[in-house]
Amino acid sequence: MVTAYVMIKANTGEADRLRDDIEAIDGVESAYIVAGDVDIIAKVNVDSPAEVKGIAATEVQSTDGVEDTQTYIAMD
């Protein structure tokens, strides 16, 4: 099992709607609105790093309202 965290910067006023859209993606375990440099942190649990890439680089980044993302894969 691969766990990753996707930091998501949302367009202004989009965080609430965007969180619901992100949580609906298969492989996303949870998504939280946070204070700081990013607006949402999503926890991803999948079987392979390739699946992380598919979720972060394809599905999350193509979601309307996403300005930018950074992805971190847990090492332990």
Side-chain angles (χ1 to χ4, degrees):
M1 185 64 79
V2 177
T3 300
Y5 296 90
V6 182
M7 311 300 157
I8 303 162
K9 188 159 183 86
N11 291 335
T12 303
E14 296 284 337
D16 287 323
R17 180 198 56 80
L18 195 54
R19 182 196 51 178
D20 294 338
D21 290 350
I22 298 300
E23 275 192 323
I25 297 171
D26 285 339
V28 174
E29 181 178 299
S30 56
Y32 299 95
I33 294 174
V34 298
D37 293 336
V38 297
D39 301 299
I40 298 168
I41 297 176
K43 182 178 181 181
V44 174
N45 277 315
V46 290
D47 291 327
S48 71
E51 288 179 86
V52 172
K53 180 183 176 189
I55 289 171
T58 304
E59 295 191 55
V60 171
Q61 287 184 357
S62 68
T63 302
D64 189 41
V66 172
E67 184 178 316
D68 193 24
T69 65
Q70 293 181 344
T71 303
Y72 300 90
I73 294 178
M75 301 301 289
D76 192 14

